[in-house]
Amino acid sequence: MDATAASESGTGTAPALPGGAAHVGPRVRALRTERGMSLSELARRASIGKATLSGLEAGTRNPTLDTLHAVAAALGVALTALVAGGGSPRIRGAAVDMELLRVFDDGPATYELYRMRIPAGAEQVSPAHHPGVTEHATVFAGELRAGRLDAPGLAGPGGYLEWAADAPHGYAAVGPEDVHASLLIRYPT
């Protein structure tokens, strides 16, 4: 298997970036260096293995969405700060398939707007983002259960959910239909 198709060993989940993640490594390294962090320190703060982070920086690993979120949170940046410029606005998680539609920088915050699809019956847990991050979902089809793991909400077509995403949170398509929704993530700067 080549580097662009390789996923993290032992995770059993699909890589987050279908087109490969070679462009992510230099961005992670630059942000880490800019913050004066060693590879070991970033791996510790992100709660990932040093070998995983080293492979990501070297462009030999295509990480899972959870790993990308963990690294972004440890660096205190939006996910797009790591993945922008890769040519593909698609990001995949264990159950969630997201297409980046737009990034907005609005002074005190950065917003990422995604089109999200979750297959019927699928669910995914996502790690905490950095403090102050919120997520906002508007459902167009299907029934979505989403939010912090200790207090998820439920919404059907036309419904809206929002939650503080600085704690583990999840998404699930609980009905017989795929969920189609928009997801807006607000990162304070």
Side-chain angles (χ1 to χ4, degrees), residues 24-38 41-43 45-46 53 56-57 67-79 81-82 129-131 188:
V24 175
R27 298 180 74 80
V28 171
R29 185 179 302 111
L31 289 164
R32 176 178 61 76
T33 303
E34 192 177 284
R35 286 158 176 72
M37 293 172 136
S38 68
E41 177 65 12
L42 179 55
R45 287 185 186 191
L53 183 58
L56 176 61
E57 284 194 3
T67 297
L68 289 173
H69 277 304
V71 170
L75 291 169
V77 298
L79 181 64
L82 303 182
H129 297 288
H130 58 278

Side-chain angles (χ1 to χ4, degrees), residues 41-131:
E41 177 65 12
L42 179 55
R44 185 188 64 73
R45 287 185 186 191
S47 298
I48 62 173
K50 186 176 174 182
T52 296
L53 183 58
S54 178
L56 176 61
E57 284 194 3
T60 60
R61 292 200 178 201
N62 190 342
T64 64
L65 184 57
D66 286 354
T67 297
L68 289 173
H69 277 304
V71 170
L75 291 169
V77 298
L79 181 64
T80 53
L82 303 182
V83 302
S88 173
R90 281 204 114 66
I91 301 171
R92 292 195 178 121
V96 176
D97 184 5
M98 301 188 312
E99 180 182 0
L100 179 64
L101 300 175
R102 182 112 191 251
V103 177
F104 305 86
D105 288 312
D106 185 25
T110 297
Y111 298 86
E112 296 173 344
L113 178 62
Y114 295 93
R115 178 180 303 135
M116 178 171 67
R117 186 183 73 78
I118 306 170
E123 59 184 272
Q124 175 175 319
V125 173
S126 291
H129 297 288
H130 58 278

